[in-house]
Amino acid sequence: FEVFKTKVYDASHFSLPFVQEEESEEEPKLKYERLSNGVTEILQKDAASCMTVHDKFLALGTHYGKVYLLDVQGNITQKFDVSPVKINQISLDESGEHMGVCSEDGKVQVFGLYSGEEFHETFDCPIKIIAVHPHFVRSSCKQFVTGGKKLLLFERSWMNRWKSVVLHEGEGNIRSVKWRGHLIAWANNMGVKIFDIISKQRITNVPRDDISLRPDMYPCSLCWKDNVTLIIGWGTSVKICSVKERHASEMRDLPSRYVEIVSQFETEFYVSGLAPLCDQLVVLSYVKEISEKTEREYCARPRLDIIQPLSETCEEISSDALTVRGFQENECRDYHLEYSEGESLFYIVSPRDVVVAKERDQDDHIDWLLEKKKYEEALMAAEISQKNIKRHKILDIGLAYINHLVERGDYDIAARKCQKILGKNAALWEYEVYKFKEIGQLKAISPYLPRGDPVLKPLIYEMILHEFLESDYEGFATLIREWPGDLYNNSVIVQAVRDHLKKDSQNKTLLKTLAELYTYDKNYGNALEIYLTLRHKDVFQLIHKHNLFSSIKDKIVLLMDFDSEYLHKLFKRDHHKGQRYHEKQISLYAEYDRPNLLPFLRDSTHCPLEKALEICQQRNFVEETVYLLSRMGNSRSALKMIMEELHDVDKAIEFAKEQDDGELWEDLILYSIDKPPFITGLLNNIGTHVDPILLIHRIKEGMEIPNLRDSLVKILQDYNLQILLREGCKKILVADSLSLLKKMHRTQMKGVLVDEENICESCLSPILPSDAAKPFSVVVFHCRHMFHKECLPMPSMNSAAQFCNICSAKNRGPGSAILEMKK
């Protein structure tokens, strides 16, 4: 093959593998197959001239005047000898029961495939086109058009006679026609016309752009996308036309419909065929290129492009150059593009070849991803579309992904993927473990081995433990901690650890791991001995969990040596346990761990406060003393200590805020009044708790206060902020009140259902009389209580309003009557 920038497909193979200039990362949109079987036999002796496609079968016309009916695999089902010369066009109705054929010698036949011939005539000129009515099967739609030098409409009359009408003539040969619904589109030498079969009017004329091209060598391609959208391809021009209804006010003597060109653009090559694909177009192009060697023009491989039409241009989605048989000798008029609307199948027809293009399905997408070694994406695509894929299995893709990762050396990723891919398949897990063993990567897969469902053979786990024991004691210890002991033979692993301890008897990691193995084996004595030897803190958990207190009576002092934070941890776990030691803990914290003393005093509810205060005062612990004084209710002494001992105005202010006591603020102001830095701190922080005027009035005249201006500005800003907040709250309150009032009003305006199940709240008899004909009067309050009017007490002289007796008695507020029913 010659190499092109576009992908080049070799149509000489059934699956049409393609050759390309460089590895493309863009996935193809279509896949190709040659139509073989009977078609291969036909084209060995004859040449294809035209073809039409039905959802159920294909009809192929040849240069030797034969018409073949084929199934979708290309097998011949019927053969018709129509003419000794070229078949120009074949047309089928939508039912696939009637076919029209025209040939170069002027013969026209329209006949039923299952009901016999209906029309047969020979004209004195070549008939280039034919189109039967899409609903020809109906008796009211027995119409078809033919085209040679003029366009004729044939219609069968009520006496089964055919009559013809000239729709158009005088502009050269009719070379293309497409019938959709009530509209017939055709092309002659001058342009494209559309005829409305209902109104009997020609509604448009779309002139061709490039009049330099011979219309017989570069014929027009027509395609109806739907009942009102016509696509025209001629030369290098493509136009998309929309048939629209004309407004009644615009009609006058004009047709009831008109055509608007909604998109128009130029292509790189000559258009040989068009087909719609959703909102995109499939374009078959005839390509001519210049030889670099001879500098002469030659016929290149035809291209099948998918393009996205825009208003004045188009965007290329994909482009494939096809190596069809005999492309070197073909002309633009030798190629045709036919399509099956139901299945999105596209048939590229040339004299020596018929190639089928179809949209790639999810299996094809996965094939491409696997070919590009994009296993992660392939696996994801298979999982998303598992109900639609037919040729692939998720497990097979996953195993291929694992193998690919292993080959690439990504052992950890491969091992991690095993969890998702292998799932609960124990046999596959064991197979993969042995594969990892062969490449010396058992450590990589160990964190991901299943530990519950499924459970692998004990030998698998023991094999991995032995691998770690030989080279990584810490990793071995981690696995022993993480893996349940019933996964492997415990005695085997114990013996292996003891063998290693013979070489390194003081290895703490191995000793601790051995203790854990003994613990699982319920050999608590040996485990306790190892923990005591190691002076390890886990001994407490072992003693508590397995009730080994009788074994440690003579080792209490030793155990306390192990963990000097014992009481502290006990308190952290439960503030109430060990409360009898809280008094002792005060002195211990004060002596050895002051940072934890204040948190202890705050959290403990059992420590004696007087004793704690005495200890803190003896050691001059100011913060702790302040806390204890405030907790004992002596806030003024605590504040005085903050000011006199710590000299920290911020802490004093914070303390006053916490206590929220006016007398404390007074003491703080009196203490600060002769200390300018304290005054500054108060001015900056007092605004939201105490009226700043009380402080400002007491400042002596002439006293220099640092940053006084900034402090006063802040006071004003705080005041403005408070005003804004109050105004905002007021607005919200008013809005909420109004909203609730409206809601209450809407609720009270609603009707109340009164039926035979309701009772009078006074006499407890049904609210409605049993005899609907009798007159009655009922009062219903907003609270939904109901009364017979005669059962209500008369309203007082002071107020004419009536209130619900029940709600008034329960102090829920009076409910005025909302409805009085009378009959």
Side-chain angles (χ1 to χ4, degrees):
F1 295 111
E2 295 184 43
V3 178
F4 291 84
K5 293 180 181 179
T6 54
K7 296 184 285 294
V8 179
Y9 284 81
D10 176 12
S12 62
H13 295 82
F14 182 77
S15 298
L16 293 168
F18 60 87
V19 177
Q20 54 194 28
E21 184 174 12
E22 58 186 16
E23 194 72 13
S24 174
E25 287 302 315
E26 183 179 350
E27 182 178 0
K29 304 296 181 184
L30 301 172
K31 61 179 178 180
Y32 299 88
E33 291 181 357
R34 165 168 286 113
L35 199 60
S36 56
N37 301 320
V39 175
T40 304
E41 299 174 11
I42 295 168
L43 300 185
Q44 285 175 349
K45 302 174 183 179
D46 204 341
S49 60
C50 61
M51 192 170 86
T52 190
V53 177
H54 190 267
D55 290 342
K56 301 174 184 177
F57 62 93
L58 316 173
L60 178 68
T62 72
H63 279 260
Y64 289 171
K66 309 291 190 297
V67 174
Y68 296 90
L69 298 189
L70 313 166
D71 63 18
V72 292
Q73 281 78 37
N75 297 303
I76 301 171
T77 59
Q78 274 186 279
K79 174 184 175 183
F80 302 94
D81 290 316
V82 177
S83 168
V85 296
K86 176 184 173 185
I87 302 296
N88 283 329
Q89 192 164 10
I90 304 169
S91 176
L92 293 168
D93 68 349
E94 289 183 0
S95 69
E97 296 182 13
H98 294 82
M99 181 166 67
V101 183
C102 65
S103 59
E104 193 67 18
D105 59 0
K107 287 185 178 179
V108 173
Q109 292 186 28
V110 177
F111 55 92
L113 295 176
Y114 312 106
S115 60
E117 186 175 316
E118 296 191 7
F119 179 89
H120 184 192
E121 189 169 331
T122 302
F123 295 87
D124 59 357
C125 66
I127 301 299
K128 299 294 184 180
I129 57 98
I130 186 170
V132 300
H133 195 294
H135 303 296
F136 193 89
V137 69
R138 301 176 187 171
S139 59
S140 61
C141 299
K142 298 296 184 182
Q143 297 173 312
F144 66 91
V145 292
T146 64
K149 293 180 180 178
K150 51 189 173 182
L151 184 69
L152 296 175
L153 171 64
F154 289 84
E155 187 171 7
R156 193 167 69 180
S157 64
W158 62 276
M159 295 181 65
N160 285 335
R161 292 181 179 178
W162 292 93
K163 65 176 182 178
S164 64
V165 178
V166 177
L167 297 183
H168 190 71
E169 63 179 332
E171 293 185 355
N173 281 335
I174 312 296
R175 301 189 182 278
S176 181
V177 66
K178 291 291 180 182
W179 193 332
R180 180 72 175 250
H182 302 305
L183 300 175
I184 304 172
W186 73 90
N188 57 27
N189 291 355
M190 305 304 294
V192 176
K193 281 78 175 171
I194 299 178
F195 184 81
D196 188 337
I197 201 72
I198 300 298
S199 64
K200 306 294 184 182
Q201 291 177 313
R202 199 176 76 189
I203 60 177
T204 191
N205 174 36
V206 181
R208 69 185 178 116
D209 296 331
D210 189 353
I211 59 174
S212 65
L213 296 175
R214 286 176 53 184
D216 60 328
M217 298 298 291
Y218 297 89
C220 176
S221 297
L222 299 175
C223 168
W224 286 102
K225 180 181 179 182
D226 51 45
N227 286 346
V228 294
T229 306
L230 177 67
I231 307 168
I232 305 171
W234 206 337
T236 59
S237 171
V238 175
K239 296 177 182 177
I240 300 178
C241 307
S242 179
V243 180
K244 299 186 175 182
E245 296 289 337
R246 198 183 301 274
H247 194 271
S249 62
E250 301 174 348
M251 280 193 187
R252 300 172 188 167
D253 296 329
L254 298 174
S256 60
R257 293 182 174 186
Y258 69 98
V259 169
E260 179 181 328
I261 298 176
V262 295
S263 177
Q264 179 175 349
F265 52 87
E266 293 290 318
T267 62
E268 187 178 357
F269 305 109
Y270 301 105
V271 177
S272 291
L274 295 165
L277 178 62
C278 300
D279 62 337
Q280 299 171 341
L281 283 182
V282 179
V283 181
L284 177 63
S285 300
Y286 171 69
V287 181
K288 280 191 173 183
E289 295 185 351
I290 304 295
S291 171
E292 294 181 359
K293 296 180 181 179
T294 63
E295 296 185 356
R296 296 179 62 182
E297 194 175 56
Y298 68 94
C299 300
R301 296 167 175 81
R303 283 181 23 164
L304 192 69
D305 299 340
I306 299 177
I307 60 176
Q308 179 68 59
L310 305 174
S311 58
E312 296 181 355
T313 183
C314 65
E315 178 185 350
E316 184 181 284
I317 305 301
S318 72
S319 181
D320 303 329
L322 307 178
T323 306
V324 298
R325 293 192 185 104
F327 71 88
Q328 297 89 343
E329 291 82 30
N330 292 339
E331 298 290 343
C332 184
R333 63 182 176 183
D334 294 323
Y335 293 109
H336 307 280
L337 180 64
E338 302 293 336
Y339 69 99
S340 171
E341 294 185 17
E343 300 181 23
S344 294
L345 296 176
F346 306 94
Y347 295 84
I348 299 96
V349 183
S350 66
R352 298 293 179 188
D353 226 342
V354 179
V355 176
V356 186
K358 61 181 69 175
E359 286 188 277
R360 294 168 63 86
D361 57 21
Q362 202 63 16
D363 280 300
D364 299 313
H365 175 56
I366 293 171
D367 281 336
W368 184 82
L369 292 172
L370 293 175
E371 179 186 330
K372 298 297 179 183
K373 300 189 182 302
K374 298 183 177 183
Y375 292 94
E376 180 81 25
E377 295 176 38
L379 188 60
M380 188 181 302
E383 289 171 343
I384 293 172
S385 306
Q386 56 182 316
K387 293 183 180 179
N388 299 323
I389 56 177
K390 299 174 182 177
R391 294 187 283 106
H392 292 93
K393 294 181 179 178
I394 294 175
L395 181 59
D396 293 340
I397 298 171
L399 292 175
Y401 186 22
I402 293 172
N403 290 337
H404 169 70
L405 291 170
V406 169
E407 290 171 4
R408 207 169 64 182
D410 293 331
Y411 304 116
D412 186 68
I413 300 175
R416 188 165 63 249
K417 293 297 178 184
C418 286
Q419 280 188 309
K420 177 181 177 181
I421 294 167
L422 304 182
K424 298 181 180 182
N425 193 322
L428 280 177
W429 267 109
E430 291 170 3
Y431 175 76
E432 289 298 328
V433 170
Y434 280 110
K435 279 178 57 178
F436 273 77
K437 182 180 186 300
E438 290 175 5
I439 58 175
Q441 292 296 329
L442 279 177
K443 289 183 179 180
I445 201 171
S446 63
Y448 310 106
L449 281 186
R451 304 172 189 180
D453 184 18
V455 175
L456 310 183
K457 295 175 183 176
L459 181 62
I460 298 294
Y461 301 100
E462 292 166 15
M463 182 169 64
I464 292 175
L465 288 173
H466 280 293
E467 176 79 14
F468 275 92
L469 192 55
E470 291 297 328
S471 57
D472 184 1
Y473 288 162
E474 291 296 335
F476 172 76
T478 300
L479 290 183
I480 293 296
R481 284 195 301 271
E482 293 178 353
W483 284 0
D486 56 357
L487 294 179
Y488 48 85
N489 189 328
N490 199 62
S491 60
V492 172
I493 303 303
V494 167
Q495 186 58 49
V497 174
R498 291 174 66 178
D499 291 342
H500 276 264
L501 281 171
K502 292 176 182 178
K503 305 171 189 175
D504 187 2
S505 60
Q506 300 303 314
N507 189 292
K508 293 184 177 180
T509 301
L510 283 183
L511 285 169
K512 183 176 179 298
T513 306
L514 182 59
E516 292 173 359
L517 290 167
Y518 278 141
T519 301
Y520 179 77
D521 226 10
K522 298 183 180 179
N523 192 344
Y524 304 126
N526 285 346
L528 183 60
E529 183 179 342
I530 293 174
Y531 281 130
L532 290 173
T533 303
L534 293 174
R535 302 171 68 85
H536 199 283
K537 296 178 182 180
D538 283 0
V539 69
F540 296 102
Q541 184 179 355
L542 179 70
I543 295 167
H544 183 266
K545 186 175 181 180
H546 302 290
N547 198 20
L548 304 179
F549 299 104
S550 59
S551 305
I552 58 164
K553 290 180 179 178
D554 56 343
K555 300 181 177 66
I556 296 298
V557 177
L558 179 63
L559 289 171
M560 291 188 69
D561 253 354
F562 288 178
D563 194 352
S564 57
E565 297 183 350
Y566 182 71
L567 280 176
H568 177 69
K569 288 186 176 178
L570 178 64
F571 177 74
K572 283 293 185 183
R573 177 170 294 184
D574 189 332
H575 295 342
H576 303 290
K577 285 187 178 180
Q579 56 182 283
R580 57 181 176 172
Y581 300 111
H582 284 197
E583 182 177 347
K584 179 65 176 174
Q585 281 181 263
I586 297 171
S587 57
L588 289 173
Y589 280 124
E591 183 70 28
Y592 301 106
D593 190 10
R594 185 186 172 185
N596 279 315
L597 175 57
L598 187 56
F600 172 77
L601 294 173
R602 285 179 176 150
D603 295 336
S604 174
T605 56
H606 304 289
C607 67
L609 298 181
E610 294 82 1
K611 179 67 174 178
L613 181 62
E614 181 185 345
I615 293 173
C616 291
Q617 287 176 336
Q618 287 175 355
R619 297 175 180 272
N620 198 27
F621 289 172
V622 178
E623 290 188 13
E624 290 82 354
T625 303
V626 167
Y627 170 75
L628 290 169
L629 287 172
S630 65
R631 185 170 169 183
M632 296 169 71
N634 196 349
S635 300
R636 303 185 76 171
S637 298
L639 179 63
K640 183 178 180 182
M641 194 168 190
I642 293 173
M643 295 186 293
E644 292 181 352
E645 298 288 338
L646 296 178
H647 305 288
D648 189 338
V649 66
D650 292 330
K651 185 165 286 190
I653 292 169
E654 190 63 34
F655 182 78
K657 288 179 180 179
E658 289 176 0
Q659 302 301 317
D660 195 21
D661 186 340
E663 292 184 359
L664 281 182
W665 283 109
E666 183 68 22
D667 290 348
L668 181 56
I669 292 171
L670 289 174
Y671 180 81
S672 306
I673 203 65
D674 59 347
K675 300 176 180 63
F678 274 49
I679 293 175
T680 301
L682 284 172
L683 288 173
N684 287 334
N685 294 279
I686 202 174
T688 56
H689 297 273
V690 179
D691 188 352
I693 296 298
L694 297 176
L695 174 61
I696 294 170
H697 281 170
R698 298 186 184 187
I699 299 174
K700 295 178 180 179
E701 188 174 349
M703 178 182 286
E704 291 187 8
I705 301 172
N707 302 316
L708 176 60
R709 186 193 65 177
D710 295 342
S711 299
L712 294 175
V713 169
K714 186 175 185 303
I715 288 172
L716 294 174
Q717 288 175 340
D718 289 347
Y719 177 76
N720 287 333
L721 180 61
Q722 288 185 35
I723 296 299
L724 289 173
L725 286 173
R726 289 178 181 177
E727 290 177 353
C729 291
K730 180 182 177 182
K731 288 180 181 179
I732 293 171
L733 183 62
V734 170
D736 285 352
S737 300
L738 182 60
S739 174
L740 290 171
L741 183 62
K742 289 179 178 178
K743 184 177 180 181
M744 184 185 75
H745 183 257
R746 286 196 304 269
T747 302
Q748 291 184 343
M749 290 296 291
K750 291 180 180 178
V752 179
L753 175 65
V754 180
D755 57 21
E756 59 275 3
E757 293 184 2
N758 297 109
I759 62 171
C760 173
E761 299 291 347
S762 178
C763 66
L764 302 181
S765 60
I767 196 74
L768 298 177
S770 56
D771 185 359
K774 289 183 177 181
F776 66 93
S777 181
V778 175
V779 177
V780 183
F781 290 94
H782 288 304
C783 56
R784 301 304 190 259
H785 290 129
M786 304 176 187
F787 298 88
H788 295 122
K789 188 169 184 180
E790 58 270 17
C791 294
L792 279 173
M794 293 297 293
S796 66
M797 297 297 293
N798 297 330
S799 174
Q802 283 187 311
F803 300 104
C804 174
N805 296 343
I806 297 174
C807 292
S808 298
K810 292 181 178 178
N811 295 321
R812 292 191 301 197
S816 61
I818 62 168
L819 178 66
E820 182 173 335
M821 297 176 58
K822 293 182 178 180
K823 184 176 179 181

